Amino acid sequence: MQFGVFSVSDITTDPTNGRTPGEAERIQAIVTIAKKAEEVGLDVFALGEHHNPPFFSSSPTTTLAYIAAQTTTLQLSTATTLITTNDPVKIAEDYAMLQHLAGGRVDLMMGRGNTGPVYPWFGQDIRNGLPLAVENYALLRRLWDEDVVDWQGQFRTPLQGFTSTPRPLDGVPPFVWHGSIRSPQIAEQAAYYGDGFFHNHIFWPKEHTARMVEFYRRRFEHHGHGSADQAIVGLGGQVFMRRNSQDAVREFRPYFDNAPVYGHGPSLEDFSRETPLTVGSPQQVIERTLGFREYVGDYQRQLFLIDHAGLPLKTVLEQLDMLGEEVVPVLRREFAALKPAHVPDAPTHASRVAARQASLEEVSA
């Protein structure tokens, strides 16, 4: 099982001192966070994509390539790649290039994002959000899987004899997760292609997450990719830790109360009870996270959100130390002991290259 952190790349005022970091400071902080994630033994770092303030990550591949050059084992991913408003030709090219530069340590999470105005900024209509996601991803798959593509669709100019370059590393494109909070159509898309399904798992109660994951698993089996419990599932999660749970609650409360998304809404206690947000000791985070398996089954990737809402870099790095030293080692051991042998691990470039080679040998035998 893979463990890591993801960032939505917000630039938020620290409510405890009124200080707002600049863009340059936050960009450099993200690089520091990613490198620290590898240092403490985490597997994955994922970065979102936004094209509006108060976010800075408009070009995730640029940032991830820079991080790739300074890491050796860290799997690099996106917390959202906007499949609806990015040209699939550019996605194919950019992520294949990143794949080569990172030596295969790349996957990506497709999503539609949560900012309505981004559609007209990139010449699209939000009312076409789902059809865009379906058509653009179908084209992206062909661009990666086929050397020469002839294509015509509804939302972009046709392609004739087009070859996307560079070609995927070792003939194997990056693994794709499809991220969604509430759209069963996206879970269906993930299941149809045999891709991974990632549930944000931050804003909604566990019953909603369970329904979405169960639907994806059922459709994964329906499309012939394996049994339902072999479907590739990832979850988000949000944590804040201190040795003493009372200290964690006291320190995190002003950040929660003023957070851009859920601030000035439900209380910290109500939100923690109704969603997977865990504010407490490392042991409480361990127990809460192990409980996710009870309603989604065995899953392959767990990513934590730890750097949002104006939290200072020093605090974020302390969270990473606790994750790496106290939380993740226990989670690895406990989840591994519970996972049946037939449930696959999270896909990696190496495992996908090996599977492709085995398939080619089987065909030629």
Side-chain angles (χ1 to χ4, degrees):
M1 186 166 174
Q2 294 176 336
F3 297 92
V5 293
F6 73 99
S7 176
V8 296
S9 83
D10 62 310
I11 299 176
T12 304
T13 300
D14 185 332
T16 67
N17 59 22
R19 182 178 181 278
T20 305
E23 289 178 326
E25 181 180 344
R26 273 291 278 148
I27 291 169
Q28 291 302 321
I30 278 295
V31 176
T32 300
I33 290 166
K35 292 165 67 176
K36 180 71 170 182
E38 178 173 277
E39 177 188 319
V40 302
L42 301 188
D43 308 304
V44 183
F45 174 78
L47 183 61
E49 178 187 344
H50 292 274
H51 297 275
N52 57 291
F55 306 98
F56 68 80
S57 182
S58 58
S59 180
T61 52
T62 305
T63 312
L64 293 175
Y66 187 74
I67 293 169
Q70 301 180 64
T71 55
T72 57
T73 62
L74 192 66
Q75 183 78 8
L76 303 168
S77 188
T78 56
T80 303
T81 295
L82 297 176
I83 187 62
T84 45
T85 49
N86 282 309
D87 185 349
V89 171
K90 197 71 172 77
I91 295 177
E93 294 174 338
D94 285 353
Y95 284 91
M97 179 66 79
L98 177 59
Q99 189 190 33
H100 280 268
L101 291 172
R105 293 182 289 125
V106 174
D107 55 54
L108 64 161
M109 187 193 310
M110 298 297 176
R112 292 181 293 144
N114 58 7
T115 306
V118 75
Y119 285 82
W121 293 342
F122 287 85
Q124 300 295 348
D125 186 331
I126 193 172
R127 291 170 295 185
N128 295 327
L130 283 169
L132 275 164
V134 172
E135 179 176 298
N136 283 355
Y137 186 62
L139 174 55
L140 175 62
R141 288 288 296 241
R142 289 192 59 192
L143 291 167
W144 276 338
D145 293 342
E146 302 173 26
D147 288 338
V148 181
V149 174
D150 294 314
W151 179 89
Q152 184 168 347
Q154 181 180 354
F155 298 111
R156 79 172 314 282
T157 53
L159 298 174
Q160 294 182 339
F162 181 78
T163 298
S164 175
T165 59
R167 304 303 299 144
L169 180 64
D170 300 318
V172 176
F175 183 73
V176 172
W177 303 80
H178 297 257
S180 179
I181 299 175
R182 60 186 180 274
S183 300
Q185 297 93 332
I186 301 303
E188 169 66 26
Q189 184 180 41
Y192 176 81
Y193 287 103
D195 294 338
F197 178 68
F198 189 94
H199 197 275
N200 170 281
H201 201 226
I202 289 179
F203 305 117
W204 291 68
K206 64 181 182 181
E207 292 80 8
H208 172 77
T209 302
R211 285 193 296 271
M212 288 288 287
V213 172
E214 191 277 332
F215 173 76
Y216 159 69
R217 289 188 183 279
R218 185 159 34 88
R219 298 301 294 170
F220 181 95
E221 182 173 297
H222 169 81
H223 290 297
H225 301 296
S227 60
D229 61 354
Q230 292 177 313
I232 308 299
V233 174
L235 293 181
Q238 186 179 357
V239 298
F240 186 86
M241 295 173 285
R242 288 302 182 205
R243 302 277 176 245
N244 180 289
S245 60
Q246 289 81 6
D247 291 339
V249 171
R250 182 171 56 254
E251 184 176 347
F252 188 65
R253 187 180 300 279
Y255 297 97
F256 175 87
D257 288 345
N258 293 278
V261 176
Y262 45 66
H264 310 288
S267 69
L268 174 58
E269 288 74 15
D270 287 345
F271 201 82
S272 298
R273 184 171 53 252
E274 296 297 327
T275 76
L277 170 64
T278 307
V279 180
S281 67
Q283 184 59 38
Q284 287 174 302
V285 170
I286 290 169
E287 292 172 1
R288 189 79 179 276
T289 306
L290 287 173
F292 297 165
R293 181 180 179 274
E294 296 174 6
Y295 55 89
V296 302
D298 293 289
Y299 63 111
Q300 284 75 18
R301 175 174 285 186
Q302 175 65 56
L303 301 184
F304 296 104
L305 174 65
I306 60 170
D307 79 319
H308 71 307
L311 287 164
L313 177 60
K314 177 177 179 293
T315 301
V316 174
L317 298 179
E318 291 166 351
Q319 299 297 302
L320 282 165
D321 279 329
M322 284 183 275
L323 278 174
E325 294 169 8
E326 301 180 51
V327 174
V328 168
V330 177
L331 293 177
R332 283 195 200 281
R333 183 172 65 249
E334 295 297 324
F335 277 120
L338 293 167
K339 184 172 79 73
H342 71 282
V343 173
D345 293 329
T348 64
H349 184 70
S351 69
R352 285 162 57 77
V353 169
R356 179 176 183 268
Q357 184 61 35
S359 177
L360 291 174
E361 291 174 357
E362 183 178 326
V363 169
S364 61

